[in-house]
Amino acid sequence: MNKRKRLIILVALLVVAVPAMAVFTGMDLDATLSNLRRELFFDYMQISHTREEMEGEYGVQHQKMVGIVKKCNDMSLMLYSQKQDYTFDISYALEKVTQEYNDFNKNRKPYDRIVSSLEVEINRYARLIESLRRLPPELREVEVVPDSLAYHNDSLDVHLLQNESLLQQELQEQVEAVLAFNAVQDTLAEGERIPAFILSETGQADRDSCLLYASELLKMYAAAREMVMADSTHYQEARLRMEESFEYARDYYGLLQNKVFKEGQTPWKTILGNPGKYWKEAWKAFGKKYSISFIRALFVEEQIEYDVDEISNNNQLANSARLYWLLIYFLVFFVLWGLSALILLPVYRFIKPVKERVAKGQKRYIALLLACVLFLILSYESTDDDMLRKSLSIMHTFLCLLMAIYTALLVRLDPAKLKYSARIYLPTIFTALFVISCRVLFVPNAFLNFFFPPLLMVMALWQLLANLHNRKKADKTDMITGGVSLGITAAALAISIKGYIFLALIILVWWYFQLAMVLAIASVWDLTLLYKKKRLNKRISSQKAKINYVSGPAKEPLLFSATWFFDLVREVLIPLLVLGSIPACIYWALNIFEFNDLYRTIFKEPFMRQGEMCVSLYSIVFLAGMFAIFRYVNKALHSLYQALKYRIFMRKNNKKTVRNDEVNLALGNSLISVFVWFMFADLFVVTLNIPTNSLALIAGGLSAGIGLALKDILNNFIYGIQLMGGRLRVGDWIECDGIRGKVVDINYQTTLVETLFGTQVAFLNSSLFGKNFTNLTRNNAYELTIIKVGVAYGTDFQKVREALEKGLEVLKKKDKYGRDIVEPTYGHYIRFDDFGDSSVNVAVRQYVLVSEQIEYRYQCKELIYKILAENNITIPFPQRDVHMIDDKK
């Protein structure tokens, strides 16, 4: 009865109180408000700390943006002040503007994140305040929150404003519901009362506190947002200015590329037509660029006029300072080289291992390497000057490559050849040093146009003489690279004579980078050969001794556990270095001259587009490198699979050895290859962005025609998988269409059989299924072999049996795998076969290994003849008596 009464009361409350009840799940509403008050109070007490953190984050971002705005102004002035005759200066300015524009876009993202984060917090607190306001009893408004920050549900507000009578009715219903609810509460016992859905006095107090804390936090975030948004005008102005400079730089960059790589500069033939004019222009441009007294004295009138008209003393002094700085660096390097040689003297003298291993011809080059290291350490400088930082980076790159070249020579060569091979590379090194010095000093175009082709002629002649003089004593590899260096120098000379000076400069710097990479790769190759000679051969011999359960070709894949590192270096690392060195060296060379966009155009921009498919040099190099990796993975998986298969087979069959082709590896190897190269094909499709939808559409449209046209190919493919699944394996002996032979290969189309005569016959996989081929070694490796011989009538057959059984015992030998050639449980079985015309036929029956059957037949027949002869047993032969009839009688 009590349960029924409670149920009726509960249903009545739901019907009456639904319009006014707020549904809460979880804990009690008053408890929820109490917890919320404590959380908001904690955030409110931390408001000062939070405000300081936000101001600090904003301050950091603000300082970055202010710095970028200043750099924007500097870059604009630098960009628009460059003259056309200073290509190095122009390319540097264009690259700096592009870099600053990219930095600006990157640094805007944190600012955008700050604004977005503040918007989220403001929206959250505004909604929280509105939710607190609407809790029954509902508040008309929250005075502490400005209307601009308050959350407004427009659809709800419009509905209530347009239906004022409806609002009054709903409020009246809420009041009636509350009265009804209280009346019901009075009828229930203390423990049976339903919890109230109207805030208690404590809950209302907690709500007021929550509103206070939330409103203060809302105001704090709103103030922070206003502070951040106050800079939007400056950021917008900086962005527009940056975009303007970037657009100008991009257009000018195209003009510069066209001038360098298409139009060129003044051809040397034109300069030879009026050398005095161009001589003066060259030195005049050099004098304007650098404040050098003796140059100014050569052209006093022009220089004085220049100083009056142009206020460029600061730039002139800065350029002159770079020139003197470079000369001092060269001097310091040679001093460090001498000091390094002195430092190493006691090391060579008193440290015995070093003294024994370092030859006299190697000492100067070791001192050179030490000087390079000391120079890199001492010249390291953290500076805010972009030009100085770029110059130092270029010089350090040159020294690192110089170290790579001479380290490779020390590693590869004997001391007797070191000096002569090193001389071959001196012209290339000094040519690269000259080019890099011109880049560091921002040498004007007129000076390069006049002096660079003659200098390159000298370098080409020097390279030729170095190759000829050292050809007999230098290493063969170095002679080849020396010949390539001569060819590249000659090509650069021809290009510079045509007037493409900067293209020649880029080619020469690229070859210097590429030469260092080539020698480094060659040294890695030589180190692998040395590793193989001193360690790997021993490991291979030891591994071969451990792998005593197989022999012949089957042992080679199992040696991968000993050769994996050697194979990794030779088959993966070196190909990747070769493939990666070409784009890397081109990038480094172009970066020296600030032509980074040209690298992206050459390598990353597709040179072939076909719909969505894009083919670029970068994608080709990437896929070639991945091919080397997948090939190595395929080899490793094959080796691992074979090793596991052999171990499982020996454990399962309790064997210690495995014959060649006794274990079926064809299907597993095929599946591994299909899986690996399918993954590569998938990578190929993704890299080239080949549309798979189009492929599916084409495949679906042509499936019927392809199915009919390739029916036989598909059948052979399916039958090939079935054959490799266990019905046939490499090494089995089969007989089909009168052809007997050994299976040497099973692929997806044919099965290759080597016959008894040494020829190879290919059976289509479908034809093997369509014919009754016999697998002679499927169940076991033995086949019944019957050899017949005839003895004379009247011969004691028991004597013949005993003689043959005893004499044929010598044929019970073992093959190279330890198997009995003649099945031991059956042995030789001598039986009376038949009555012949002139002899009694004897059958010698035995089960012989199929692979040994041919040779065994020859040996057995020869031995039977010998046994019968030794035991005076006659082997009759057919005879015919001819009677001559004389017709005359």
Side-chain angles (χ1 to χ4, degrees):
M1 188 66 181
N2 291 335
K3 292 182 179 180
R4 184 178 180 182
K5 181 179 178 181
R6 291 177 182 175
L7 182 60
I8 294 172
I9 294 174
L10 181 59
V11 172
L13 287 174
L14 289 174
V15 172
V16 174
V18 162
M21 177 181 282
V23 180
F24 294 93
T25 60
M27 62 181 65
D28 182 71
L29 178 59
D30 289 343
T32 301
L33 284 172
S34 179
N35 291 333
L36 178 61
R37 178 184 56 78
R38 286 192 291 269
E39 292 175 5
L40 291 175
F41 176 74
F42 176 78
D43 293 338
Y44 177 76
M45 296 303 296
Q46 298 291 324
I47 193 170
S48 298
H49 179 68
T50 305
R51 185 181 289 110
E52 291 177 0
E53 286 184 350
M54 289 191 300
E55 289 178 354
E57 183 180 359
Y58 164 73
V60 171
Q61 184 63 25
H62 178 75
Q63 290 299 323
K64 288 182 180 179
M65 299 305 295
V66 169
I68 289 177
V69 171
K70 292 181 179 179
K71 284 186 177 181
C72 172
N73 297 327
D74 295 338
M75 291 297 104
S76 300
L77 294 175
M78 180 180 67
L79 178 63
Y80 300 138
S81 64
Q82 299 301 325
K83 298 180 180 180
Q84 297 184 22
D85 295 333
Y86 298 93
T87 301
F88 287 130
D89 302 66
I90 294 172
S91 62
Y92 173 78
L94 296 177
E95 179 64 21
K96 286 301 298 178
V97 169
T98 303
Q99 181 180 351
E100 293 300 333
Y101 178 76
N102 294 331
D103 291 342
F104 177 84
N105 290 332
K106 291 178 181 178
N107 286 305
R108 269 195 64 86
K109 292 180 180 179
Y111 159 75
D112 295 336
R113 283 197 297 268
I114 293 174
V115 174
S116 176
S117 176
L118 291 174
E119 291 287 355
V120 170
E121 292 298 320
I122 291 172
N123 187 42
R124 182 171 69 89
Y125 280 108
R127 288 175 178 270
L128 176 62
I129 292 173
E130 180 64 15
S131 298
L132 291 170
R133 184 188 71 79
R134 290 177 178 175
L135 290 178
E138 182 177 331
L139 300 176
R140 298 292 297 177
E141 60 180 354
V142 181
E143 298 179 355
V144 293
V145 178
D147 186 66
S148 59
L149 298 178
Y151 172 76
H152 297 282
N153 189 333
D154 295 335
S155 60
L156 180 61
D157 293 342
V158 170
H159 171 72
L160 295 178
L161 290 174
Q162 292 178 351
N163 299 275
E164 186 69 25
S165 60
L166 179 61
L167 176 61
Q168 296 295 334
Q169 181 181 353
E170 289 181 356
L171 292 176
Q172 183 64 29
E173 290 178 355
Q174 290 183 14
V175 173
E176 294 177 356
V178 170
L179 295 176
F181 178 77
N182 291 334
V184 173
Q185 288 282 72
D186 294 338
T187 62
L188 297 177
E190 184 67 26
E192 298 177 346
R193 291 183 177 179
I194 300 174
F197 60 91
I198 301 298
L199 290 179
S200 63
E201 293 182 0
T202 304
Q204 294 182 33
D206 289 335
R207 179 176 66 175
D208 294 340
S209 300
C210 291
L211 287 172
L212 174 63
Y213 301 146
S215 61
E216 292 298 322
L217 291 169
L218 175 62
K219 293 176 183 178
M220 178 193 69
Y221 285 112
R225 182 187 61 180
E226 294 299 325
M227 181 175 58
V228 174
M229 293 300 295
D231 287 343
S232 60
T233 303
H234 302 289
Y235 297 147
Q236 183 68 12
E237 180 183 355
R239 183 183 66 81
L240 294 175
R241 188 174 299 179
M242 272 289 184
E243 288 183 353
E244 179 185 4
S245 300
F246 177 71
E247 293 294 333
Y248 175 81
R250 188 169 58 181
D251 296 338
Y252 204 147
Y253 190 81
L255 296 175
L256 181 63
Q257 286 188 4
N258 184 68
K259 181 179 180 181
V260 170
F261 300 107
K262 292 183 179 181
E263 297 178 0
Q265 292 76 43
T266 306
W268 181 246
K269 182 179 180 180
T270 304
I271 294 176
L272 291 179
N274 191 358
K277 172 186 174 183
Y278 290 100
W279 167 271
K280 290 184 179 181
E281 287 182 358
W283 283 109
K284 180 180 177 181
F286 197 83
K288 288 182 178 180
K289 189 74 174 180
Y290 310 102
S291 178
I292 304 177
S293 58
F294 76 89
I295 296 177
R296 302 176 75 176
L298 293 175
F299 306 97
V300 174
E301 296 179 1
E302 291 87 351
Q303 190 64 41
I304 292 174
E305 181 181 356
Y306 172 78
D307 288 337
V308 172
D309 296 338
E310 301 286 346
I311 306 175
S312 58
N313 289 333
N314 292 335
N315 293 333
Q316 206 173 42
L317 290 174
N319 295 328
S320 302
R322 281 199 297 272
L323 177 61
Y324 292 125
W325 166 82
L326 188 63
L327 294 174
I328 292 172
Y329 265 46
F330 288 156
L331 179 62
V332 170
F333 177 78
F334 284 105
V335 171
L336 286 176
W337 192 358
L339 290 176
S340 300
L342 294 176
I343 293 172
L344 291 173
L345 283 178
V347 176
Y348 298 143
R349 185 173 182 180
F350 297 109
I351 301 178
K352 188 175 180 180
V354 177
K355 183 179 180 181
E356 293 175 351
R357 295 185 178 183
V358 178
K360 182 179 179 180
Q362 296 175 321
K363 293 181 180 179
R364 70 181 70 175
Y365 302 106
I366 296 176
L368 176 64
L369 295 178
L370 179 59
C372 291
V373 173
L374 293 176
F375 187 85
L376 290 174
I377 296 174
L378 295 176
S379 62
Y380 176 78
E381 183 178 355
S382 179
T383 176
D384 294 332
D385 190 339
D386 292 328
M387 287 189 178
L388 180 59
R389 185 168 58 248
K390 180 71 175 181
S391 300
L392 285 174
S393 175
I394 294 173
M395 296 305 299
H396 289 171
T397 302
F398 173 82
L399 287 178
C400 290
L401 294 174
L402 183 67
M403 293 174 62
I405 291 174
Y406 282 102
T407 302
L409 293 177
L410 286 170
V411 170
R412 289 177 45 245
L413 302 178
D414 296 331
K417 295 183 178 180
L418 178 60
K419 177 176 65 174
Y420 304 101
S421 293
R423 290 174 181 174
I424 293 175
Y425 299 112
L426 287 178
T428 302
I429 293 172
F430 276 95
T431 302
L433 180 61
F434 173 78
V435 173
I436 288 176
S437 300
C438 291
R439 163 60 187 84
V440 170
L441 297 175
F442 295 95
V443 175
N445 296 3
F447 186 85
L448 282 175
N449 293 339
F450 190 89
F451 287 101
F452 185 67
L455 178 65
L456 209 51
M457 291 180 188
V458 175
M459 292 299 177
L461 180 61
W462 184 9
Q463 184 69 64
L464 176 62
L465 295 175
N467 291 348
L468 294 175
H469 183 70
N470 300 285
R471 66 183 185 277
K472 294 182 179 180
K473 297 181 179 180
D475 185 73
K476 184 178 180 180
T477 302
D478 299 314
M479 285 303 304
I480 294 174
T481 53
V484 176
S485 298
L486 178 60
I488 290 176
T489 305
L493 174 61
I495 292 172
S496 64
I497 290 176
K498 288 290 185 179
Y500 297 95
I501 299 294
F502 289 92
L503 179 58
L505 294 175
I506 294 174
I507 291 174
L508 292 171
V509 172
W510 163 78
W511 174 241
Y512 178 68
F513 284 103
Q514 193 66 58
L515 177 64
M517 293 298 297
V518 168
L519 294 179
I521 294 170
S523 64
V524 173
W525 183 273
D526 289 343
L527 286 175
T528 58
L529 294 177
L530 183 64
Y531 167 75
K532 181 180 180 181
K533 180 179 179 181
K534 291 190 174 182
R535 293 190 178 183
L536 183 60
N537 289 335
K538 296 179 181 179
R539 293 186 61 185
I540 292 176
S541 300
S542 175
Q543 189 70 9
K544 285 183 177 179
K546 293 179 181 178
I547 305 174
N548 54 8
Y549 49 87
V550 292
S551 61
K555 184 178 288 188
E556 293 301 321
L558 300 177
L559 298 176
F560 182 78
S561 58
T563 64
W564 69 269
F565 179 74
F566 179 80
D567 294 338
L568 178 65
V569 175
R570 296 289 290 266
E571 299 178 12
V572 178
L573 179 61
I574 291 179
L576 289 180
L577 288 175
V578 172
L579 290 170
S581 66
I582 299 174
C585 292
I586 293 176
Y587 171 78
W588 292 332
L590 293 174
N591 185 57
I592 294 291
F593 300 97
E594 281 84 23
F595 284 117
N596 296 337
D597 286 344
L598 184 60
Y599 169 79
R600 288 188 285 270
T601 302
I602 295 174
F603 277 94
K604 295 189 176 182
E605 288 294 326
F607 63 85
M608 185 181 76
R609 289 182 180 271
Q610 190 67 30
E612 297 180 3
M613 185 179 71
C614 302
V615 182
S616 63
L617 291 177
Y618 175 81
S619 62
I620 293 175
V621 171
F622 173 76
L623 289 174
M626 294 307 298
F627 174 81
I629 294 175
F630 275 86
R631 183 181 60 180
Y632 178 80
V633 171
N634 185 53
K635 180 179 180 180
L637 291 177
H638 277 289
S639 176
L640 179 62
Y641 168 74
Q642 184 169 337
L644 291 175
K645 192 75 174 179
Y646 282 154
R647 290 180 183 179
I648 293 172
F649 176 81
M650 290 188 294
R651 188 181 300 114
K652 181 179 180 180
N653 297 279
N654 195 22
K655 289 187 174 183
K656 294 185 178 180
T657 58
V658 180
R659 302 189 313 273
N660 283 345
D661 306 323
E662 187 176 10
V663 179
N664 184 17
L665 301 172
L667 182 60
N669 287 332
S670 298
L671 291 177
I672 290 173
S673 298
V674 168
F675 172 76
V676 171
W677 295 118
F678 177 80
M679 296 298 294
F680 178 76
D682 185 59
L683 180 65
F684 184 88
V685 171
V686 173
T687 302
L688 298 184
N689 198 28
I690 298 176
T692 55
N693 294 334
S694 300
L695 292 177
L697 182 62
I698 294 173
L702 299 179
S703 59
I706 292 175
L708 293 174
L710 304 181
K711 180 183 68 174
D712 294 336
I713 295 177
L714 294 176
N715 286 339
N716 289 323
F717 178 81
I718 295 172
Y719 290 141
I721 294 177
Q722 294 183 9
L723 288 174
M724 289 184 286
R727 297 190 61 176
L728 197 63
R729 63 190 178 188
V730 175
D732 282 350
W733 285 78
I734 67 171
E735 187 172 352
C736 182
D737 287 345
I739 298 175
R740 173 183 288 229
K742 179 183 179 182
V743 178
V744 295
D745 182 47
I746 305 174
N747 55 47
Y748 292 109
Q749 292 299 314
T750 60
T751 298
L752 196 63
V753 177
E754 184 177 351
T755 67
L756 301 175
F757 302 100
T759 59
Q760 291 187 346
V761 180
F763 291 95
L764 291 175
N765 295 331
S766 58
S767 67
L768 284 180
F769 273 82
K771 300 175 182 179
N772 293 324
F773 76 92
T774 304
N775 192 333
L776 303 174
T777 53
R778 174 62 178 170
N779 294 328
N780 55 68
Y782 294 92
E783 183 184 14
L784 178 62
T785 303
I786 302 176
I787 300 175
K788 296 180 180 181
V789 63
V791 298
Y793 278 98
T795 304
D796 185 357
F797 187 80
Q798 186 62 30
K799 179 182 177 181
V800 174
R801 176 185 285 117
E802 291 176 354
L804 290 176
E805 287 180 348
K806 182 179 179 181
L808 292 177
E809 287 292 324
V810 298
L811 294 179
K812 293 182 178 180
K813 298 182 292 185
K814 295 182 180 297
D815 68 349
K816 59 183 179 180
Y817 301 110
R819 298 177 298 173
D820 293 304
I821 295 178
V822 179
E823 207 281 322
T825 59
Y826 190 85
H828 297 93
Y829 203 61
I830 314 300
R831 286 291 180 266
F832 191 103
D833 183 64
D834 199 1
F835 296 99
D837 293 337
S838 57
S839 65
V840 176
N841 294 333
V842 179
V844 181
R845 301 164 61 92
Q846 58 266 299
Y847 282 91
V848 182
L849 285 173
V850 175
S851 58
E852 303 288 339
Q853 191 180 86
I854 302 301
E855 183 64 27
Y856 178 83
R857 280 181 174 272
Y858 295 135
Q859 294 179 4
C860 185
K861 289 177 181 179
E862 180 181 351
L863 187 58
I864 290 174
Y865 179 82
K866 181 179 179 182
I867 293 170
L868 295 179
E870 290 176 349
N871 289 274
N872 297 319
I873 299 173
T874 303
I875 302 176
F877 54 88
Q879 298 182 11
R880 177 177 296 176
D881 294 334
V882 179
H883 299 275
M884 305 295 294
I885 300 176
D886 190 358
D887 293 337
K888 294 180 180 181
K889 294 182 179 181

